[in-house]
Amino acid sequence: MPLLPETNNLGFDRENMVKMRDVCKTYAGGVVALDHFSLDVRRGEVLVIIGPSGAGKSTLLRCLNGLELIDSGSIVIDGIPLDKNEANQLAIRRKIGMVFQSFNLFPHLSVQENINLAQRLVQKKSPAQANTITRDLLHRVGVLDKAMRYPDELSGGQQQRVAIARALALYPKIMLFDEATSALDPEMIGEVLDVMRNLAAEGMTMLVVSHEMGFAREVSDRVVFMEEGRKVEEAASAKFFTQPQQARTREFLSQIL
Amino acid sequence: MYAKRLSLSLLDGLLLLLLAGVLAFLGYRVSVQLNYQWNWGAIPQFLFRYDAESGRWMANYLTQGLLTTLRLSLWASLLALVFGFAVALARISNSLYLRLLARTFTELMRNLPPLVIIFLFYYFLADQLVFLTGSGRIDADSHPWLTRLSTIFLAPPAQIAPFVSALITLAVFESAYVAEIVRAGILSIYRGQWEACHALGLSRWQSLRYVILPQTLRRMMPPLAGQLVSLIKDSSIVSVIAIQELTYQGSQLMASTYLTFEVWLTVAAMYLLLTFPCSILVERLNQRLNRLQERSA
């Protein structure tokens, strides 16, 4: 008799944080964003997803935490299937932290309140408990001195670091980065990548949509190149950059490197 | 920026002259051609009268009408805000049923003439509403304090039934406009804010309560306040169902005294007394919010 029969039925194994099978997603306008897409991400793995714009990279991330609903296929996050069950959906949303290209900080709340909000509302923490965690995270991302400031008083790099801290405050098991550095001035990209690098070193499972090839090469374990909703190539990052197998991958890399 | 100097050009002078000419002509037509006998002296007694019995000055028809308009507008505004918010939330709800219901309501209210709505509500619903509230059955003798309270805050017990139904009608009708303002305010917030809430695991209600509404309230304030000013003006239409507010008192007074121009000019001035300060308040509010926004930017 297995100890966890229902999870075994789902083909759950402890190492896989993300299990996507044959996921299809077509937008209302008829644009195919994901076309029978399958992907496994192991615990603690850093996966970088690259590809031309419109390849479905953002959609991939957004389907994982339920920002977009999939048309067919299956997604299992840390053993929980993403289905119509609302309890499951909520459990998955709480396991996943997300960082957006446009930061999406709450402009009417101070930095500290931004990070406290979900801790208070979702985790029902006391103000003191939330403050302790918030200040610790702000210290880690290097913006503790801005705790009482409002988002629009911060630089883009600082805002994005606050956004990362806000997502981390809920102790997610997976972090999604949707072009987290694309809206930043060049001199601020480094400070955000540093925070992401530290996070990877601490063993966080990360899915990163990015155009930062240096980061992909240095930090990621695996790279997925996708186009038109399909996986073109998937390889360990060292191999991906030195010996790409597909002609399309080589072409893409030569364009952006 | 340099402060703009107030200066009158020749054209300004001509326009002023023209305006004065038109006014003088109208005055001449009224007093000479219509042979109208102006009698402003008769008006003050309809504002306040001296009660010989109690030896005190008391509010007379017009002032009482003004107070009724004020009470009517105040309660209808509060009710319209509450109901309007509820309708707006239904309009952006996840449930198709609620959305359709709210949509039907706002479209009906916005596409029917207010007068027709007033009559419909009054003749079809007023009796039911009054029966439900039971306010038609307040016994003046047995509850003197209740009578006083009702007279101060709503209307004298005898008139409370029509007053409450007029109040509800006005509130329901205005709530459709409030709902549109609230809905537009909520929709004006960038989608990324909802997505951030979703990603943080906030429920729809929590997102609205703690993130979306606090940001949009500021933007909604000026149009909402403007809508409340127009509610004061719109309250005049309930005179058709014999609510004794300012316009009704004005028409009654005109019918009995024939002081047409004096009465309506006075009524107009009294409405301005209510609405103009509100408009100025709205303006101030706007400026303050703009300054706040500039400072935070």
PDB file of all heavy atoms in Angstrom, chain B residues 14 69 83 105 110 143 149 161 164 181-182 190 197 217 226 230 239 246 251 277 285:
ATOM      1  N   LEU B  14     -17.025  95.237 -25.180  1.00  0.00           N
ATOM      2  CA  LEU B  14     -18.175  95.179 -26.078  1.00  0.00           C
ATOM      3  C   LEU B  14     -19.128  94.053 -25.690  1.00  0.00           C
ATOM      4  O   LEU B  14     -20.351  94.226 -25.654  1.00  0.00           O
ATOM      5  CB  LEU B  14     -17.697  94.978 -27.524  1.00  0.00           C
ATOM      6  CG  LEU B  14     -17.245  96.247 -28.245  1.00  0.00           C
ATOM      7  CD1 LEU B  14     -16.705  95.910 -29.616  1.00  0.00           C
ATOM      8  CD2 LEU B  14     -18.420  97.217 -28.355  1.00  0.00           C
ATOM      9  N   THR B  69     -35.493  69.614   0.533  1.00  0.00           N
ATOM     10  CA  THR B  69     -34.568  69.288  -0.557  1.00  0.00           C
ATOM     11  C   THR B  69     -33.235  68.800   0.004  1.00  0.00           C
ATOM     12  O   THR B  69     -32.652  67.828  -0.469  1.00  0.00           O
ATOM     13  CB  THR B  69     -34.336  70.522  -1.446  1.00  0.00           C
ATOM     14  OG1 THR B  69     -35.556  70.841  -2.103  1.00  0.00           O
ATOM     15  CG2 THR B  69     -33.266  70.260  -2.484  1.00  0.00           C
ATOM     16  N   PHE B  83     -25.723  51.801  -2.985  1.00  0.00           N
ATOM     17  CA  PHE B  83     -26.329  50.972  -4.013  1.00  0.00           C
ATOM     18  C   PHE B  83     -25.482  50.998  -5.293  1.00  0.00           C
ATOM     19  O   PHE B  83     -25.298  49.966  -5.940  1.00  0.00           O
ATOM     20  CB  PHE B  83     -27.754  51.470  -4.280  1.00  0.00           C
ATOM     21  CG  PHE B  83     -28.624  50.427  -4.906  1.00  0.00           C
ATOM     22  CD1 PHE B  83     -28.680  49.151  -4.382  1.00  0.00           C
ATOM     23  CD2 PHE B  83     -29.390  50.720  -6.023  1.00  0.00           C
ATOM     24  CE1 PHE B  83     -29.467  48.186  -4.963  1.00  0.00           C
ATOM     25  CE2 PHE B  83     -30.185  49.755  -6.609  1.00  0.00           C
ATOM     26  CZ  PHE B  83     -30.227  48.486  -6.087  1.00  0.00           C
ATOM     27  N   PHE B 105     -30.010  46.747 -15.296  1.00  0.00           N
ATOM     28  CA  PHE B 105     -30.443  47.820 -14.397  1.00  0.00           C
ATOM     29  C   PHE B 105     -29.891  49.175 -14.826  1.00  0.00           C
ATOM     30  O   PHE B 105     -30.641  50.139 -14.994  1.00  0.00           O
ATOM     31  CB  PHE B 105     -30.001  47.499 -12.963  1.00  0.00           C
ATOM     32  CG  PHE B 105     -30.184  48.646 -12.017  1.00  0.00           C
ATOM     33  CD1 PHE B 105     -31.434  48.985 -11.536  1.00  0.00           C
ATOM     34  CD2 PHE B 105     -29.089  49.407 -11.622  1.00  0.00           C
ATOM     35  CE1 PHE B 105     -31.599  50.053 -10.681  1.00  0.00           C
ATOM     36  CE2 PHE B 105     -29.254  50.481 -10.765  1.00  0.00           C
ATOM     37  CZ  PHE B 105     -30.507  50.800 -10.290  1.00  0.00           C
ATOM     38  N   ARG B 110     -30.528  54.504 -17.215  1.00  0.00           N
ATOM     39  CA  ARG B 110     -29.885  55.581 -17.973  1.00  0.00           C
ATOM     40  C   ARG B 110     -30.604  55.906 -19.264  1.00  0.00           C
ATOM     41  O   ARG B 110     -30.389  56.947 -19.853  1.00  0.00           O
ATOM     42  CB  ARG B 110     -28.427  55.218 -18.267  1.00  0.00           C
ATOM     43  CG  ARG B 110     -27.521  55.555 -17.088  1.00  0.00           C
ATOM     44  CD  ARG B 110     -26.253  54.740 -17.031  1.00  0.00           C
ATOM     45  NE  ARG B 110     -25.727  54.336 -18.314  1.00  0.00           N
ATOM     46  CZ  ARG B 110     -24.636  54.827 -18.859  1.00  0.00           C
ATOM     47  NH1 ARG B 110     -23.969  55.777 -18.274  1.00  0.00           N
ATOM     48  NH2 ARG B 110     -24.190  54.355 -19.998  1.00  0.00           N
ATOM     49  N   HIS B 143     -45.674  58.431  20.313  1.00  0.00           N
ATOM     50  CA  HIS B 143     -44.207  58.524  20.296  1.00  0.00           C
ATOM     51  C   HIS B 143     -43.763  59.942  19.976  1.00  0.00           C
ATOM     52  O   HIS B 143     -43.325  60.210  18.865  1.00  0.00           O
ATOM     53  CB  HIS B 143     -43.612  57.576  19.255  1.00  0.00           C
ATOM     54  CG  HIS B 143     -44.025  56.161  19.440  1.00  0.00           C
ATOM     55  ND1 HIS B 143     -43.542  55.385  20.455  1.00  0.00           N
ATOM     56  CD2 HIS B 143     -44.872  55.377  18.738  1.00  0.00           C
ATOM     57  CE1 HIS B 143     -44.079  54.183  20.373  1.00  0.00           C
ATOM     58  NE2 HIS B 143     -44.901  54.152  19.343  1.00  0.00           N
ATOM     59  N   LEU B 149     -37.878  63.234  15.946  1.00  0.00           N
ATOM     60  CA  LEU B 149     -36.730  62.680  15.218  1.00  0.00           C
ATOM     61  C   LEU B 149     -37.041  62.586  13.730  1.00  0.00           C
ATOM     62  O   LEU B 149     -36.252  63.004  12.881  1.00  0.00           O
ATOM     63  CB  LEU B 149     -36.441  61.271  15.764  1.00  0.00           C
ATOM     64  CG  LEU B 149     -34.971  60.893  15.903  1.00  0.00           C
ATOM     65  CD1 LEU B 149     -34.321  61.789  16.939  1.00  0.00           C
ATOM     66  CD2 LEU B 149     -34.849  59.436  16.320  1.00  0.00           C
ATOM     67  N   ALA B 161     -44.448  58.687   4.288  1.00  0.00           N
ATOM     68  CA  ALA B 161     -44.604  57.629   3.289  1.00  0.00           C
ATOM     69  C   ALA B 161     -44.175  58.095   1.900  1.00  0.00           C
ATOM     70  O   ALA B 161     -43.296  57.480   1.293  1.00  0.00           O
ATOM     71  CB  ALA B 161     -46.033  57.122   3.276  1.00  0.00           C
ATOM     72  N   VAL B 164     -40.253  58.860   1.837  1.00  0.00           N
ATOM     73  CA  VAL B 164     -39.347  57.712   1.752  1.00  0.00           C
ATOM     74  C   VAL B 164     -39.368  57.106   0.354  1.00  0.00           C
ATOM     75  O   VAL B 164     -38.325  56.742  -0.188  1.00  0.00           O
ATOM     76  CB  VAL B 164     -39.695  56.648   2.818  1.00  0.00           C
ATOM     77  CG1 VAL B 164     -38.956  55.348   2.547  1.00  0.00           C
ATOM     78  CG2 VAL B 164     -39.333  57.166   4.199  1.00  0.00           C
ATOM     79  N   ILE B 181     -19.648  55.429 -12.751  1.00  0.00           N
ATOM     80  CA  ILE B 181     -18.428  56.129 -12.331  1.00  0.00           C
ATOM     81  C   ILE B 181     -17.490  55.161 -11.613  1.00  0.00           C
ATOM     82  O   ILE B 181     -16.291  55.102 -11.892  1.00  0.00           O
ATOM     83  CB  ILE B 181     -18.767  57.322 -11.417  1.00  0.00           C
ATOM     84  CG1 ILE B 181     -19.513  58.402 -12.217  1.00  0.00           C
ATOM     85  CG2 ILE B 181     -17.514  57.897 -10.783  1.00  0.00           C
ATOM     86  CD1 ILE B 181     -20.094  59.505 -11.365  1.00  0.00           C
ATOM     87  N   VAL B 182     -18.062  54.375 -10.694  1.00  0.00           N
ATOM     88  CA  VAL B 182     -17.239  53.434  -9.918  1.00  0.00           C
ATOM     89  C   VAL B 182     -16.635  52.374 -10.841  1.00  0.00           C
ATOM     90  O   VAL B 182     -15.444  52.058 -10.763  1.00  0.00           O
ATOM     91  CB  VAL B 182     -18.078  52.769  -8.806  1.00  0.00           C
ATOM     92  CG1 VAL B 182     -17.285  51.679  -8.112  1.00  0.00           C
ATOM     93  CG2 VAL B 182     -18.540  53.810  -7.806  1.00  0.00           C
ATOM     94  N   TYR B 190      -4.521  49.765 -14.082  1.00  0.00           N
ATOM     95  CA  TYR B 190      -3.729  48.911 -14.959  1.00  0.00           C
ATOM     96  C   TYR B 190      -3.854  47.436 -14.549  1.00  0.00           C
ATOM     97  O   TYR B 190      -3.813  47.100 -13.366  1.00  0.00           O
ATOM     98  CB  TYR B 190      -2.272  49.387 -14.904  1.00  0.00           C
ATOM     99  CG  TYR B 190      -1.275  48.504 -15.581  1.00  0.00           C
ATOM    100  CD1 TYR B 190      -1.407  48.195 -16.928  1.00  0.00           C
ATOM    101  CD2 TYR B 190      -0.200  47.990 -14.876  1.00  0.00           C
ATOM    102  CE1 TYR B 190      -0.488  47.383 -17.550  1.00  0.00           C
ATOM    103  CE2 TYR B 190       0.740  47.187 -15.495  1.00  0.00           C
ATOM    104  CZ  TYR B 190       0.586  46.883 -16.835  1.00  0.00           C
ATOM    105  OH  TYR B 190       1.495  46.081 -17.453  1.00  0.00           O
ATOM    106  N   CYS B 197      -1.746  41.010  -7.595  1.00  0.00           N
ATOM    107  CA  CYS B 197      -2.581  40.510  -6.495  1.00  0.00           C
ATOM    108  C   CYS B 197      -2.813  39.011  -6.640  1.00  0.00           C
ATOM    109  O   CYS B 197      -2.701  38.252  -5.679  1.00  0.00           O
ATOM    110  CB  CYS B 197      -3.937  41.211  -6.482  1.00  0.00           C
ATOM    111  SG  CYS B 197      -3.847  42.935  -6.026  1.00  0.00           S
ATOM    112  N   LEU B 217     -10.241  55.354  -5.773  1.00  0.00           N
ATOM    113  CA  LEU B 217     -11.120  56.271  -5.041  1.00  0.00           C
ATOM    114  C   LEU B 217     -10.754  57.711  -5.334  1.00  0.00           C
ATOM    115  O   LEU B 217     -11.601  58.561  -5.544  1.00  0.00           O
ATOM    116  CB  LEU B 217     -11.029  56.010  -3.536  1.00  0.00           C
ATOM    117  CG  LEU B 217     -11.980  54.938  -3.017  1.00  0.00           C
ATOM    118  CD1 LEU B 217     -11.826  54.769  -1.516  1.00  0.00           C
ATOM    119  CD2 LEU B 217     -13.419  55.293  -3.351  1.00  0.00           C
ATOM    120  N   GLY B 226     -19.444  65.453  -8.347  1.00  0.00           N
ATOM    121  CA  GLY B 226     -20.227  66.134  -9.370  1.00  0.00           C
ATOM    122  C   GLY B 226     -21.603  65.500  -9.527  1.00  0.00           C
ATOM    123  O   GLY B 226     -22.611  66.193  -9.682  1.00  0.00           O
ATOM    124  N   SER B 230     -25.449  67.006  -9.018  1.00  0.00           N
ATOM    125  CA  SER B 230     -26.577  66.912  -9.943  1.00  0.00           C
ATOM    126  C   SER B 230     -27.746  66.171  -9.297  1.00  0.00           C
ATOM    127  O   SER B 230     -28.880  66.369  -9.703  1.00  0.00           O
ATOM    128  CB  SER B 230     -26.170  66.346 -11.294  1.00  0.00           C
ATOM    129  OG  SER B 230     -25.882  65.040 -11.256  1.00  0.00           O
ATOM    130  N   SER B 239     -41.070  66.851  -7.218  1.00  0.00           N
ATOM    131  CA  SER B 239     -42.194  67.752  -6.969  1.00  0.00           C
ATOM    132  C   SER B 239     -43.442  67.251  -7.695  1.00  0.00           C
ATOM    133  O   SER B 239     -44.559  67.519  -7.260  1.00  0.00           O
ATOM    134  CB  SER B 239     -41.839  69.170  -7.431  1.00  0.00           C
ATOM    135  OG  SER B 239     -41.594  69.177  -8.812  1.00  0.00           O
ATOM    136  N   LEU B 246     -38.306  72.156  -2.506  1.00  0.00           N
ATOM    137  CA  LEU B 246     -38.206  73.562  -2.915  1.00  0.00           C
ATOM    138  C   LEU B 246     -39.009  73.886  -4.176  1.00  0.00           C
ATOM    139  O   LEU B 246     -39.753  74.873  -4.216  1.00  0.00           O
ATOM    140  CB  LEU B 246     -36.719  73.905  -3.105  1.00  0.00           C
ATOM    141  CG  LEU B 246     -36.368  75.378  -3.278  1.00  0.00           C
ATOM    142  CD1 LEU B 246     -37.039  76.243  -2.232  1.00  0.00           C
ATOM    143  CD2 LEU B 246     -34.852  75.561  -3.225  1.00  0.00           C
ATOM    144  N   SER B 251     -43.813  76.245  -6.828  1.00  0.00           N
ATOM    145  CA  SER B 251     -44.947  76.240  -7.761  1.00  0.00           C
ATOM    146  C   SER B 251     -46.257  76.512  -7.011  1.00  0.00           C
ATOM    147  O   SER B 251     -47.151  77.187  -7.535  1.00  0.00           O
ATOM    148  CB  SER B 251     -45.014  74.914  -8.523  1.00  0.00           C
ATOM    149  OG  SER B 251     -45.061  73.848  -7.620  1.00  0.00           O
ATOM    150  N   PRO B 277     -21.798  75.975  -3.216  1.00  0.00           N
ATOM    151  CA  PRO B 277     -20.751  75.567  -2.275  1.00  0.00           C
ATOM    152  C   PRO B 277     -20.254  74.148  -2.541  1.00  0.00           C
ATOM    153  O   PRO B 277     -19.062  73.873  -2.425  1.00  0.00           O
ATOM    154  CB  PRO B 277     -21.442  75.659  -0.912  1.00  0.00           C
ATOM    155  CG  PRO B 277     -22.549  76.611  -1.109  1.00  0.00           C
ATOM    156  CD  PRO B 277     -23.010  76.432  -2.522  1.00  0.00           C
ATOM    157  N   LEU B 285     -11.353  69.968  -3.760  1.00  0.00           N
ATOM    158  CA  LEU B 285     -10.968  68.567  -3.605  1.00  0.00           C
ATOM    159  C   LEU B 285     -10.059  68.154  -4.749  1.00  0.00           C
ATOM    160  O   LEU B 285      -9.018  67.528  -4.562  1.00  0.00           O
ATOM    161  CB  LEU B 285     -12.248  67.732  -3.616  1.00  0.00           C
ATOM    162  CG  LEU B 285     -12.194  66.368  -2.955  1.00  0.00           C
ATOM    163  CD1 LEU B 285     -12.036  66.535  -1.464  1.00  0.00           C
ATOM    164  CD2 LEU B 285     -13.473  65.603  -3.251  1.00  0.00           C
TER     165      LEU B 285
END
